[in-house]
Amino acid sequence: MNLSRYIVVPIVLALALTGCSQPADDAATQVPSPTHSLIGEDGCVTNYDPNVDYFAAQTQFTHASGIQVSYHNSYKTVTVQEPVSGAAAETYVLVLCGATPELPAELKDATQVTIPVHRVATSSATQLPAFELLGVTDDIVAVDSPAFVWSEPVRARIDAGQIVGFGTETGAINVESVVAANPDLFVSSGVADPAHDKLREVGIPVVGNAEWLEETPLGRAEWLKFTAVLTNTEAKANEVFDQIVTDYEAVKAQLQDVETRPTVLTGSPYEGQWSRAGGNSYVARLLADAGMSYVFADVESTGSEQVAVEVVLEEAVDAEIWVNADYMGVWPTVADMGATDPRLLNIKAAQDGKVFNPTKRINEGGGNDYWQQGVVRPDLVLRDLAKAAHPDLFSDVEFFFYTQAA
């Protein structure tokens, strides 16, 4: 099983766009404001006018660095800087259904998608919570691995046969299953796959979701707006993300002046190696914002690197807190950890019983909500980590994703 597919926008307010101010005697040339009468119940233009700006609600990305959006009356352009790992930037043209805009020459060959989309195939469970937050889970028709899905409304659609799975045991995409679901588009998850070209050949657009490349928690969460620009739910996305930012910053602010910042270790060994997160990584940012001192904060890297277990054990033996040692619930107790490698019990956090893992929300199929809802709700993740590090300041809240190893 390839867990990387499951592991690993301040807000611009919705703009009520109006036509340019004109003298009264020139009123006939004014561009009308978008009104409900210009858009049908299906979200499509009823009587297309190229001079009308149909997007009353808009958004921008201010925390995410890997994506930009711009609006052009009846179509949007979305540029993803690295849609697939190591690939060049791609621009997608999202055209409002019922509109026939004249596109500039530089966009003629870009991937085009008719919006709002109503039938989406998603390649990663990390993408699903955005649909739930925006109230558009009915737009999902295919997912990679149904058993991994945590979201209740999405699971209900799976159980009703309204969502199919297309993943295989080898991690490949079953193209026939995707095509049978008849999606408006396929959302990839940052990994190149020959199936993408096959989907394009049969007329299914492929767009890249690269949320996992963002280096900040709020940057990653802001990708929920990517789903919004596809479903024309920008107003809702702005509202939701604004609240996430507010809640995240509130927890962070509560910890700015703490006198003690406990040292913290993250991760665990696997086959003699330890995936060590860099000091400028997404994980390191969360730990710092949670009022902790990361033992490898001086490692100048935005990603993770494999190092020998002995390196970590030597440098982090005095870590006071240990987080994310277990993602799957295989080490519910510290003793279980020691049974795997007795050397782990030499770490101070293990001796003091201060090991915290995001294993509270794992379903019967092995899907962990930490890798799903946690992606778009870093405010909840941060609050959990803050509670682990400073329990006296957060005694009135319960862990949401995390549990403390017994």
Side-chain angles (χ1 to χ4, degrees):
M1 178 177 61
N2 182 5
L3 291 179
S4 65
R5 307 181 76 165
Y6 305 96
I7 299 178
V8 129
V9 205
I11 295 300
V12 176
L13 298 177
L15 302 176
L17 301 180
T18 61
C20 298
S21 177
Q22 298 287 340
D25 60 356
D26 194 28
T29 65
Q30 291 186 31
V31 176
S33 302
T35 65
H36 181 71
S37 63
L38 298 177
I39 303 293
E41 292 184 0
D42 58 358
C44 298
V45 175
T46 53
N47 294 290
Y48 177 61
D49 183 340
N51 296 313
V52 172
D53 189 331
Y54 291 95
F55 299 118
Q58 302 186 11
T59 195
Q60 294 296 328
F61 292 85
T62 56
H63 287 265
S65 61
I67 185 170
Q68 297 87 36
V69 61
S70 60
Y71 294 81
H72 310 271
N73 283 4
S74 60
Y75 70 93
K76 315 168 190 176
T77 59
V78 177
T79 299
V80 177
Q81 295 301 322
E82 193 174 346
V84 173
S85 182
E90 289 183 351
T91 295
Y92 312 120
V93 181
L94 314 181
V95 181
L96 190 61
C97 56
T100 56
E102 180 65 28
L103 299 178
E106 64 269 19
L107 295 178
K108 295 292 187 180
D109 296 327
T111 296
Q112 291 191 33
V113 178
T114 300
I115 56 171
V117 295
H118 295 296
R119 301 182 63 81
V120 182
T122 64
S123 60
S124 173
T126 64
Q127 299 163 3
L128 301 178
F131 287 84
E132 182 173 355
L133 288 176
L134 298 174
V136 289
T137 53
D138 286 352
D139 292 340
I140 303 169
V141 296
V143 298
D144 187 306
S145 298
F148 275 82
V149 175
W150 177 275
S151 166
E152 290 186 3
V154 178
R155 291 213 59 81
R157 287 178 54 77
I158 292 171
D159 294 341
Q162 297 168 317
I163 294 177
V164 302
F166 57 79
T168 66
E169 291 183 358
T170 63
I173 295 171
N174 186 319
V175 174
E176 290 75 15
S177 295
V178 178
V179 173
N182 191 30
D184 297 332
L185 84 165
F186 181 92
V187 184
S188 70
S189 57
V191 179
D193 195 303
H196 297 166
D197 287 336
K198 294 180 181 179
L199 292 173
R200 295 184 182 101
E201 289 174 2
V202 297
I204 299 175
V206 176
V207 298
N209 183 318
E211 64 193 6
W212 64 281
L213 288 173
E214 296 294 334
E215 297 171 5
T216 68
L218 291 175
R220 193 168 295 189
E222 194 171 26
W223 275 78
L224 70 88
K225 293 182 178 179
F226 184 46
T227 301
V229 299
L230 294 169
T231 56
N232 285 351
T233 53
E234 284 96 329
K236 181 65 174 179
N238 289 339
E239 175 188 349
V240 169
F241 185 70
D242 188 39
Q243 189 61 56
I244 291 171
V245 172
T246 297
D247 293 346
Y248 186 98
E249 295 295 344
V251 174
K252 180 180 176 181
Q254 193 171 350
L255 300 165
Q256 289 301 294
D257 299 324
V258 291
E259 295 182 0
T260 302
R261 290 178 172 265
T263 54
V264 59
L265 168 67
T266 183
S268 59
Y270 179 72
E271 296 184 348
Q273 298 288 302
W274 198 298
S275 182
R276 184 181 65 182
N280 297 318
S281 66
Y282 168 90
V283 172
R285 178 65 63 87
L286 268 172
L287 298 176
D289 289 348
M292 290 186 268
S293 178
Y294 180 39
V295 293
F296 295 112
D298 59 345
V299 176
E300 295 184 1
S301 170
T302 58
S304 297
E305 61 179 343
Q306 298 298 316
V307 299
V309 174
E310 291 76 14
V311 172
V312 176
L313 292 178
E314 180 179 352
E315 298 187 32
V317 68
D318 294 325
E320 299 168 278
I321 293 177
W322 188 357
V323 301
N324 299 355
D326 176 19
Y327 293 111
M328 304 302 295
V330 297
W331 287 349
T333 71
V334 174
D336 293 324
M337 298 168 60
T340 300
D341 187 339
R343 295 176 300 174
L344 300 178
L345 300 182
N346 293 327
I347 298 173
K348 178 175 172 54
Q351 296 177 349
D352 295 344
K354 294 186 177 181
V355 180
F356 302 87
N357 297 312
T359 54
K360 188 174 182 178
R361 297 167 68 86
I362 299 178
N363 66 16
E364 294 179 356
N368 191 335
D369 197 33
Y370 173 79
W371 295 122
Q372 297 176 42
Q373 189 176 183
V375 174
V376 293
R377 293 299 307 274
D379 55 316
L380 296 178
V381 176
L382 182 66
R383 192 182 67 187
D384 275 6
L385 292 172
K387 178 177 176 65
H390 303 278
D392 54 323
L393 297 179
F394 296 88
S395 59
D396 59 336
V397 297
E398 298 294 327
F399 284 118
F400 190 84
F401 296 111
Y402 279 76
T403 58
Q404 184 171 2

